[in-house]
């Protein structure tokens, strides 16, 4: 058999039956586009999420938050949101060994930040002077607020680059007077550009003031939202988390039958969350698009079966002229593979372009996972050949006389 | 060359069986031009299918060059058809949307021959269609289409050319042109088996076999076969 000629004639047949070919390719294009879109989006999102979480959360970090956070739903129960105090954290640090540093967190709802006649509305965060180290924050100009600022509830603020852009239009904000709501503050520093965090919060819209200032002058509360601790030995975080739990339960006088009114997030928990998200990104979404691909395969089966029935006389003729069953099968499998390969390449291009456009519109960087390219080419050929087998066998089994009469 | 011994072909189940061929015995030598004639339903196409190894007889033996073929597999038969037999059908059976030259190449695709394109060009020249190679088959007249089919039948240089009513769908002049090609091929040494129900077409052969209800009722030599070339020449004169 002259394989080259058979392949050539497969191309010719596909070219001359444009409508059939179009629909078969379309089926594969949709499947592969959906698959490569979701898969590469998932991979990109996963990579960035992991990166960002790593930036925020090191293996030696423990996060304590007030209220019981349900990991499944991310909700926290309202009742216990006011139970966590700065003193709780101070006591933990005193009683549990191995904690080297910590920062506490509290956040206001959106407030107006005003400079001159310009204003912008954003949530205000409170923290300790140690936040500079604990959160790996640094200031691009000016300086971080000090322990003394914290002690005296000083009205000083650190502001993000987007706030600077909105309010100051290029002029140096350090030392300027701004107002947060009605309270006047001095800008002590400008925070370095950070981008968007995994929750979608724009970190460059951040305003940070000393925790005491926030609690006393802006919110008038005596409780905090949480704290981030650093432990000396990363291998001991789980052990330390356990000790913290018992200290806090005792301090909050919780009975054995009462649940925690706080949550503790350790690297193990974070890993679990990331793992769960990754499964959504790289397993669940592609699975759905995989179904689209299977549908594409079914389209090929159906159209090719139709085409086999329409080409009975062609098949009979080829057999009469000396084609063996395997040569007939080869021809139909080539047709299926060619169609699928084309569909795959087009689908891959559309999917990756789509993913790229989507990611960049979200302000995220997009990278092309090599798996997408590989699967985008191999998968459709596989599907095509599999889908081609049924029609090809039907064609190969055909009796030449019946086909010719 | 070809020998059929007590060949029968029975269609259908018990009760309503049709004996399409009934103990037929035929021997065809190399270089013969045989016409098989008979009324509609007499078993001509059945005979053609068996001679062409497209179908297997219900009983009887088929010797090709003294070799019995009934034990061969379908794929082995396909190889033999490819090498030894050229088919010409009543309905042409050319591939649609495909050029004449591509149609002629078809048997070669399933052979081991090289220079496929060149062989196809030569075959088209033999049937006088050198200038039609690039034409799609639907752009050709019926007579031209049948000549493309003949080119396809002879491109792999088979020893036998089998035609089942090759003139059946053609007007008398185009039919005569096709018969002329067959006679020409016969002169160059090919064995020709032509199935037809037209007595006039059959008169161009050297031998006529008549089938009736699946039985061979007559088998005789034609003393003076008609010559299609002279008939065509006369036809031309009449028109001019
Ligand atoms: N596949 C089949 N199943 C059942 N009966 C068949 C089949 N093919 C042919 N026959 C019967 O066998 C007999 C011979 O048919 P065949 O086609 O050989 O006739 P024919 O001489 O070629 O006729 P025609 O000149 O009309 O083409 C007919 O009675 C026909 O009905
Ligand atoms: Mg017939």
């Amino acid at each position: 058999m002259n394989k080259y000629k058979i392949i050539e004639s497969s191309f010719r047949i596909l070219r001359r039956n444009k409508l059939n070919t179009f629909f078969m390719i379309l089926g594969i294009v949709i499947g592969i586009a959906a698959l490569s879109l979701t898969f590469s989006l998932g991979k990109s999102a996963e990579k960035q999420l992991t990166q960002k979480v790593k930036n925020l959360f090191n293996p030696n970090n423990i996060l304590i938050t007030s209220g019981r956070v349900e990991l499944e739903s991310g909700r926290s129960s309202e009742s216990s949101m006011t139970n966590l105090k700065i003193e709780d954290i101070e006591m933990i640090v005193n009683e549990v060994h191995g904690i080297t540093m910590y920062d506490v967190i509290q956040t206001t709802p959106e407030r107006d930040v005003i400079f001159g006649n310009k204003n912008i509305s954003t949530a205000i965060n409170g923290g300790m002077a140690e936040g500079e180290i604990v959160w790996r924050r640094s200031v691009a100009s000016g300086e971080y607020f000090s322990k003394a600022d914290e002690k005296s509830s000083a009205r000083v603020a650190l502001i993000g680059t987007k706030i600077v852009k909105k309010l100051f239009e290029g002029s140096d904000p350090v030392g300027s007077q701004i107002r947060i709501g009605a309270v006047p503050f001095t800008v002590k520093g400008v925070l370095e550009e950070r981008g968007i965090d995994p929750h979608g919060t724009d970190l460059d819209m951040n305003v940070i003031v000393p925790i005491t200032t926030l609690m006393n002058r802006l919110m008038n509360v005596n409780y905090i939202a949480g704290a981030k601790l650093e432990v000396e030995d990363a291998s001991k975080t789980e052990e330390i988390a356990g000790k913290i739990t018992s200290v806090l339960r005792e301090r909050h006088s919780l009975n054995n039958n009462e649940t925690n009114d706080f949550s503790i997030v350790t690297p193990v928990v974070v890993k679990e969350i990331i793992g769960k998200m990754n499964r959504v990104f790289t397993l669940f979404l592609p699975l759905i698009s995989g179904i689209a691909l299977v549908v594409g395969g079914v389209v090929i089966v159906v159209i090719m079966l139709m085409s086999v029935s329409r080409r009975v006389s062609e098949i009979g003729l080829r057999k009469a002229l000396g084609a063996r069953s395997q040569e007939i099968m080869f021809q139909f499998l080539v047709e299926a593979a060619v169609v699928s390969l084309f569909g795959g390449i087009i689908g891959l291009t559309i999917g990756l372009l789509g993913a790229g456009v989507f990611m960049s519109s979200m302000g995220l960087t997009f990278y092309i996972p090599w798996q997408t390219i590989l699967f985008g080419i191999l998968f459709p050929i596989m599907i095509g050949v599999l889908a081609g087998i049924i029609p090809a066998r039907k064609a190969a089994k055909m009796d030449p006389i019946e086909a010719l009469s | 060359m070809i020998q059929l011994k007590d060949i029968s072909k029975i269609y259908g189940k018990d009760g309503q069986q049709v004996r399409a061929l009934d103990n037929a015995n035929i021997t065809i030598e190399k270089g013969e031009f045989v016409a098989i004639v008979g009324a509609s339903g007499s078993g001509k196409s059945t005979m053609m299918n068996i001679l062409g190894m497209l179908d297997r007889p219900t009983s009887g033996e088929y010797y090709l060059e003294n070799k019995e073929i009934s034990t061969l597999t379908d794929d082995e038969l396909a190889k033999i058809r490819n090498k030894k037999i050229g088919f010409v059908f009543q309905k042409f059976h050319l591939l649609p949307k495909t050029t004449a030259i591509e149609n002629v190449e078809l048997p070669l695709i399933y052979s081991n021959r090289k220079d496929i394109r060149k062989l196809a060009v030569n075959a088209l020249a033999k049937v006088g269609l050198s200038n039609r190679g690039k034409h799609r088959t639907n752009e050709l007249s019926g007579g031209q289409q049948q000549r493309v089919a003949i080119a396809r039948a002879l491109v792999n240089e088979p020893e036998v050319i089998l035609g089942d009513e090759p003139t059946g769908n053609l007007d008398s002049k185009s039919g005569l042109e096709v018969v002329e090609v067959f006679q020409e091929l016969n002169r160059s040494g090919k064995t020709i088996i032509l199935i037809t129900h037209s007595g006039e077409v059959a008169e161009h052969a050297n031998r006529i076999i008549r089938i009736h209800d699946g039985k061979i009722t007559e088998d005789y030599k034609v003393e003076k076969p008609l010559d299609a070339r002279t008939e065509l020449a006369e036809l031309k004169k009449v028109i001019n």
Side-chain angles (χ1 to χ4, degrees):
Chain A
M1 127 172 98
N2 191 318
K3 285 206 171 72
Y4 170 75
K5 278 279 177 186
I6 293 181
I7 292 170
E8 192 186 84
S9 87
S10 293
F11 270 92
R12 191 170 62 230
I13 285 162
L14 290 172
R15 220 175 31 242
R16 291 181 190 164
N17 294 282
K18 290 198 174 64
L19 206 61
N20 265 334
T21 309
F22 172 76
F23 279 113
M24 287 197 277
I25 290 183
L26 188 67
I28 290 294
V29 164
I30 291 172
I32 288 292
L35 193 68
S36 55
L37 178 80
T38 52
F39 190 76
S40 55
L41 273 185
K43 275 281 171 201
S44 290
E46 176 195 337
K47 193 170 176 173
Q48 294 190 6
L49 188 73
T50 319
Q51 196 54 48
K52 290 241 157 110
V53 170
K54 269 193 193 138
N55 287 345
L56 287 178
F57 205 86
N58 289 325
N60 67 335
N61 285 151
I62 296 176
L63 208 62
I64 305 174
T65 62
S66 71
R68 200 164 60 88
V69 177
E70 300 283 351
L71 279 184
E72 301 301 321
S73 58
R75 271 182 292 120
S76 42
S77 34
E78 280 298 324
S79 58
S80 52
M81 291 300 282
T82 58
N83 289 2
L84 195 65
K85 309 282 159 57
I86 291 186
E87 293 75 30
D88 291 346
I89 308 299
E90 283 169 353
M91 177 158 180
I92 287 167
V93 174
N94 280 334
E95 293 197 359
V96 181
H97 288 287
I99 298 170
T100 50
M101 194 173 286
Y102 69 99
D103 183 25
V104 298
I105 314 152
Q106 183 57 287
T107 304
T108 68
E110 291 210 336
R111 295 284 169 94
D112 280 334
V113 179
I114 304 156
F115 175 72
N117 58 358
K118 299 214 170 55
N119 85 64
I120 186 169
S121 165
T122 187
I124 315 295
N125 296 297
M128 296 166 38
E130 286 85 348
E132 182 174 13
I133 299 153
V134 174
W135 293 101
R136 280 159 191 72
R137 273 177 202 138
S138 42
V139 283
S141 62
E143 53 189 38
Y144 214 87
F145 56 76
S146 63
K147 216 62 200 160
D149 291 331
E150 196 188 313
K151 289 238 167 64
S152 62
S153 302
R155 293 190 310 270
V156 290
L158 307 171
I159 58 179
T161 50
K162 285 210 176 128
I163 308 263
V164 173
K165 227 176 250 164
K166 277 266 165 60
L167 297 185
F168 293 92
E169 293 175 330
S171 70
D172 183 14
V174 176
S176 306
Q177 289 287 318
I178 58 171
R179 277 189 298 127
I180 297 176
V183 186
F185 278 79
T186 306
V187 176
K188 186 142 191 186
V190 175
L191 293 162
E192 240 172 23
E193 208 164 306
R194 292 294 286 273
I196 296 163
D197 87 350
H199 302 286
T201 313
D202 191 342
L203 294 175
D204 299 325
M205 285 289 285
N206 214 348
V207 174
I208 303 172
V209 302
I211 183 71
T212 45
T213 318
L214 185 95
M215 289 167 74
N216 301 334
R217 296 184 190 264
L218 287 177
M219 287 181 87
N220 200 21
V221 296
N222 65 350
Y223 52 88
I224 56 173
K228 186 180 181 185
L229 316 183
E230 272 187 24
V231 304
E232 198 165 19
D233 181 355
S235 67
K236 293 224 172 84
T237 43
E238 291 305 308
E239 186 190 324
I240 290 173
K243 285 183 185 155
I244 292 172
T245 305
S246 39
V247 170
L248 263 182
R249 283 187 68 86
E250 196 180 322
R251 232 184 112 79
H252 290 181
S253 343
L254 296 173
N255 298 331
N256 282 344
N257 56 1
E258 281 177 293
T259 56
N260 293 346
D261 58 355
F262 56 89
S263 313
I264 295 184
V265 181
T266 62
V268 171
V269 177
V270 168
K271 236 184 222 151
E272 269 170 31
I273 302 173
I274 292 182
K276 246 176 222 157
M277 290 189 186
N278 286 354
R279 274 196 289 285
V280 171
F281 285 139
T282 55
L283 204 74
F284 184 61
L285 290 180
L287 201 70
I288 293 178
S289 7
I291 295 171
L293 192 58
V294 169
V295 172
V298 172
V299 169
I300 290 196
V301 175
V302 171
I303 294 182
M304 280 194 67
L305 276 176
M306 273 164 42
S307 134
V308 167
S309 320
R310 229 172 351 92
R311 285 157 63 186
V312 200
S313 94
E314 175 201 327
I315 297 160
L317 175 75
R318 287 177 186 272
K319 289 194 130 189
L321 298 186
R324 287 174 294 178
S325 314
Q326 67 197 72
E327 290 164 332
I328 297 289
M329 268 199 73
F330 178 74
Q331 179 191 342
F332 279 84
L333 291 183
V334 167
E335 283 179 33
V338 166
V339 158
S340 312
L341 179 63
F342 268 89
I345 291 171
I346 298 172
L348 195 64
T349 313
I350 294 177
L352 291 180
L353 277 179
V357 167
F358 183 78
M359 291 301 274
S360 68
S361 78
M362 300 279 290
L364 300 171
T365 48
F366 171 63
Y367 88 109
I368 297 174
W370 60 269
Q371 294 102 319
T372 313
I373 305 275
L374 194 71
F375 283 123
I377 305 242
L378 289 186
F379 221 57
I381 297 183
M382 225 174 67
I383 295 258
V385 169
L386 278 179
I389 283 178
I390 302 170
R393 282 179 60 113
K394 187 181 165 197
K397 277 203 218 127
M398 212 160 263
D399 184 352
I401 334 170
E402 262 174 60
L404 279 173
S405 57
Chain B
M1 164 110 218
I2 290 174
Q3 194 180 9
L4 303 188
K5 272 192 183 164
D6 295 328
I7 291 279
S8 292
K9 179 75 190 181
I10 300 169
Y11 288 114
K13 295 191 189 79
D14 296 331
Q16 38 181 321
Q17 284 184 340
V18 179
R19 273 190 175 265
L21 286 180
D22 194 355
N23 287 304
N25 286 284
I26 300 180
T27 303
I28 296 171
E29 299 300 337
K30 197 170 158 59
E32 278 194 282
F33 187 157
V34 182
I36 297 177
V37 296
S40 183
S42 56
K44 301 186 298 294
S45 293
T46 309
M47 177 63 90
M48 146 101 171
N49 290 339
I50 285 176
L51 281 172
M53 290 177 250
L54 293 169
D55 202 0
R56 295 170 188 270
T58 313
S59 65
E61 289 153 27
Y62 182 149
Y63 294 90
L64 178 74
E65 291 168 338
N66 298 319
K67 231 183 103 197
E68 225 285 302
I69 62 155
S70 64
T71 53
L72 301 180
T73 65
D74 287 352
D75 281 351
E76 285 167 333
L77 291 181
K79 284 293 105 180
I80 296 180
R81 282 199 296 276
N82 181 250
K83 246 196 172 129
K84 308 244 170 189
I85 303 176
F87 289 93
V88 183
F89 306 96
Q90 177 172 0
K91 292 185 217 151
F92 318 145
H93 283 296
L94 298 174
L95 296 183
K97 303 181 184 177
T98 306
T99 62
I101 199 84
E102 287 163 349
N103 269 283
V104 175
E105 282 177 349
L106 211 50
L108 301 175
I109 290 179
Y110 303 108
S111 73
N112 293 322
R113 312 231 3 201
K114 300 211 160 50
D115 289 330
I116 286 180
R117 185 47 58 102
K118 214 171 99 197
L119 293 171
V121 169
N122 289 344
L124 264 185
K126 275 189 200 153
V127 297
L129 286 177
S130 292
N131 53 347
R132 291 287 191 272
K134 295 266 184 273
H135 287 237
R136 298 231 181 145
T137 48
N138 54 312
E139 298 163 357
L140 300 174
S141 74
Q144 288 170 329
Q145 289 187 40
Q146 194 60 301
R147 278 189 282 155
V148 171
I150 294 173
R152 181 181 66 194
L154 57 86
V155 72
N156 205 17
E157 287 158 31
E159 280 157 54
V160 184
I161 291 183
L162 261 179
D164 187 5
E165 305 266 15
T167 60
N169 276 8
L170 302 175
D171 63 78
S172 58
K173 180 168 171 279
S174 305
L176 215 48
E177 282 169 351
V178 165
V179 173
E180 185 200 8
V181 177
F182 275 108
Q183 283 189 321
E184 185 56 45
L185 287 169
N186 181 239
R187 270 194 286 275
S188 72
K190 300 262 181 253
T191 308
I192 311 280
I193 303 173
L194 186 67
I195 286 169
T196 176
H197 63 247
S198 154
E200 207 188 310
V201 169
E203 288 299 318
H204 292 80
N206 304 103
R207 175 181 167 194
I208 294 177
I209 296 173
R210 186 171 300 280
I211 307 185
H212 183 71
D213 282 345
K215 292 191 179 67
I216 293 176
T217 54
E218 274 182 281
D219 185 345
Y220 60 94
K221 286 242 159 348
V222 180
E223 287 310 320
K224 274 186 119 179
L226 298 175
D227 182 28
R229 201 187 317 172
T230 48
E231 286 173 287
L232 279 168
E234 269 161 38
L235 209 63
K236 228 179 195 170
K237 259 188 244 157
V238 173
I239 291 166
N240 296 342

